Amino acid sequence: MKLIWSPETATKAYIETVKSCEKIKESGVAELLAAMAGGWDAKLIVEAWSYGSPVATSIGLAVAARQTCGRHVCIVLDERTRQEYIKAMRSSTAPPPQLPEVVIGEAEAAMEALGGGVDFLVVDCGRRDFGRVLRSAKVSNRGAVFACKNAWQRNVSGFQWQWALEKGTRVVRSVFLPVGNGLDIAHIGSSSGGGAMVSRKGPSRWITHVDQRSGEEHVFRE
């Protein structure tokens, strides 16, 4: 099965996240990830949140899940982190209409509890177990997109996606973007060999993203 790219959904998710996260730190990352999750029509969106981190990305992913009629799940390590996450989401300047599902547990157990293949995964590299989260993720039968935010915090020299993932996982392509504190993104193929991306309609085009904090402009091909 091929991943379908929807420019319309990506644009809607991007614009809504811009409005929702205008005053929140790290909003540039949130906008980009929301547009990607929306554009790929992700049905199971999972994020691994780190205690004390901003929740802008969570708000953006919640926006994308609403656009795609998908499921948004946040994985946290313990009850203390769950309470902090829910408090941060509810007290944010633009709390989502519905809070994401929250799963508590170590990487392997939390991923097993999802009960389905992941379409879009965001891992905060501030988590001590970010590598285990990546290796434990079960990719959906149409492939997935994995994103590591705060990638410059990784204490790993020469990080390679192929080394970080479960053996046999196929990395179709990957890119590192100097957005926020570093954003490392990989397109993961399905185990059945699918996962190529096609547009629903029209020719490919270029998307311009401006990091609101740094003012840097990044151009991506859609």
Side-chain angles (χ1 to χ4, degrees):
M1 182 181 294
K2 295 181 178 181
L3 288 176
I4 303 297
W5 175 258
S6 170
E8 295 85 0
T9 309
T11 301
K12 289 178 181 178
Y14 183 90
I15 292 174
E16 187 175 342
T17 304
V18 168
K19 294 177 180 178
S20 299
C21 299
E22 184 177 6
K23 298 180 180 179
I24 302 179
K25 182 182 178 181
E26 203 187 46
S27 59
V29 174
E31 294 153 3
L32 179 57
L33 292 176
M36 293 183 67
W40 271 291
D41 195 31
K43 299 304 182 184
L44 178 53
I45 300 172
V46 180
E47 64 174 316
W49 191 72
S50 179
Y51 185 91
S53 296
V55 292
T57 295
S58 286
I59 294 173
L61 295 177
V63 168
R66 186 165 64 251
Q67 293 287 346
T68 66
C69 298
R71 177 185 173 200
H72 177 200
V73 182
C74 180
I75 294 174
V76 297
L77 284 169
D78 50 38
E79 177 61 24
R80 171 173 170 263
T81 307
R82 185 191 74 84
Q83 293 181 6
E84 176 68 18
Y85 175 75
I86 292 176
K87 178 182 177 181
M89 289 290 282
R90 287 176 173 167
S91 62
S92 65
T93 58
Q98 182 174 344
L99 289 175
E101 299 176 42
V102 181
V103 174
I104 301 174
E106 296 291 335
E108 296 83 358
M111 283 297 179
E112 187 67 29
L114 295 178
V118 177
D119 293 311
F120 199 89
L121 173 66
V122 179
V123 180
D124 187 340
C125 290
R127 285 179 58 122
R128 66 175 185 271
D129 65 342
F130 82 89
R132 288 167 53 203
V133 174
L134 293 172
R135 285 189 294 274
S136 302
K138 305 302 180 183
V139 178
S140 75
N141 60 8
R142 62 174 189 157
V145 174
F146 286 4
C148 290
K149 69 174 190 175
N150 296 321
W152 279 321
Q153 292 184 19
R154 290 184 306 215
N155 294 319
V156 181
S157 177
F159 173 87
Q160 296 289 331
W161 278 101
Q162 201 63 60
W163 300 344
L165 302 174
E166 184 180 16
K167 186 177 180 180
T169 301
R170 186 168 59 92
V171 179
V172 180
R173 61 178 63 87
S174 64
V175 62
F176 184 90
L177 304 175
V179 180
N181 291 317
L183 189 61
D184 212 342
I185 302 171
H187 172 205
I188 309 300
S190 70
S191 57
S192 61
M197 294 173 289
V198 297
S199 176
R200 282 182 176 170
K201 61 180 180 179
S204 62
R205 59 184 180 181
W206 296 94
I207 299 174
T208 300
H209 171 267
V210 179
D211 189 319
Q212 294 185 354
R213 294 180 62 193
S214 67
E216 293 180 330
E217 181 177 271
H218 310 284
V219 182
F220 314 95
R221 191 159 192 171
E222 180 181 338

